[in-house]
Amino acid sequence: MTLFSLLLIAHFVADFYLQKHSWIMCKVKNKQRSIGLLKHMIVHVILTSVAILLSGITLDYTSLIALTVIIATHYLIDIWKTYQSFTLKNFLIDQVGHLLIIAIIASWLGGISLQHAADTIIAFFNTKTLMLIGLYLFLCKPVSLLITLSLSTYTKQFDESEKANEGLASAGEFIGYFERGLIVTFILLEQFAGVGFLLAAKSVFRFGDMRRQSDRKLTEYIMLGTLFSFSFGIGVGKLADYLLRSV
């Protein structure tokens, strides 16, 4: 675990703190012939080597193979990334690829067998963990759809000019995901003041919307949506707390 943590720190420092913007632009422009990419890989070689040494593993034949695999795969993934557009999806693919390699190498050097890794994963995904995953998933899209259907009668009462000022596409939906997730988390942690703070903070922002619009219909619509969202969040949070205590 120490080796994995050190390799993780080395990766994040090299990728996000010691990689200059000019190197990134050079990579995008020149691809595999980039001097910026070469400098970036040198930084990774140095920090990864230091991480291995600090974990107590000597730089012998086995660790040199591990170092080579980490650097070579990082190089290939970075080359792939230069041919892709800079989107959240590609960024996540890039980082998950790096982290998977680091996890595999750390397990190999640390002498962790596949059976031990599989047992650890199985132990992590116990009944409580799976229940929490299911509850959080339910609070996102399904509850968002329930709220949308519940408010559909009121949504139809807005004309096109009012709908034109709705805001960012899907932003309200994602805000709902986060607020319901936070509500359940606060309840499970028994931090009920956090729920009150979240409601107060949202009310401040919503009050600004209501003042600017000066529209009773919009005000009531926003209040209904917020109350629906918080009611689902609190209800599922209490249900989750009860179920987890019962397991």
Side-chain angles (χ1 to χ4, degrees), residues 52-53 56-68 108-109:
I52 292 173
L53 288 171
I57 298 174
T58 57
L59 283 176
D60 56 10
Y61 179 73
T62 302
S63 57
L64 285 174
I65 291 176
L67 175 63
T68 302
W108 177 50
L109 285 180

Side-chain angles (χ1 to χ4, degrees), residues 128 187-188 190 240-247:
K128 287 187 177 181
I187 290 174
L188 293 177
E190 297 186 353
D241 184 51
Y242 171 77
L243 291 175
L244 289 174
R245 292 177 187 274
S246 303
V247 173

Side-chain angles (χ1 to χ4, degrees), residues 7 85 125 131 139 143 146 155 168 205 207 226 246:
L7 289 174
S85 56
F125 287 103
M131 190 181 296
L139 279 174
V143 170
L146 283 171
T155 307
L168 297 173
F205 287 109
F207 180 70
T226 299
S246 303

Side-chain angles (χ1 to χ4, degrees), residues 9-29:
I9 292 170
H11 168 74
F12 287 137
V13 171
D15 242 25
F16 297 102
Y17 294 96
L18 297 182
Q19 183 174 199
K20 296 181 179 180
H21 181 70
S22 59
W23 297 0
I24 298 173
M25 293 298 99
C26 184
K27 284 195 299 183
V28 172
K29 181 180 179 181

Side-chain angles (χ1 to χ4, degrees), residues 158-166 213 215 217:
F158 292 95
D159 58 32
E160 291 304 318
S161 62
E162 291 170 319
K163 289 180 180 179
N165 202 23
E166 286 178 347
Q213 295 294 335
D215 191 320
K217 282 194 297 184

Side-chain angles (χ1 to χ4, degrees), residues 141-153 155 173 221:
K141 201 72 176 178
V143 170
S144 181
L145 183 59
L146 283 171
I147 293 173
T148 300
L149 291 173
S150 300
L151 297 178
S152 60
T153 304
T155 307
E173 186 175 357
Y221 183 80

Side-chain angles (χ1 to χ4, degrees), residues 3 57 104-114 116-117:
L3 175 60
I57 298 174
I104 291 169
I105 293 299
S107 300
W108 177 50
L109 285 180
I112 299 174
S113 64
L114 289 175
H116 182 270

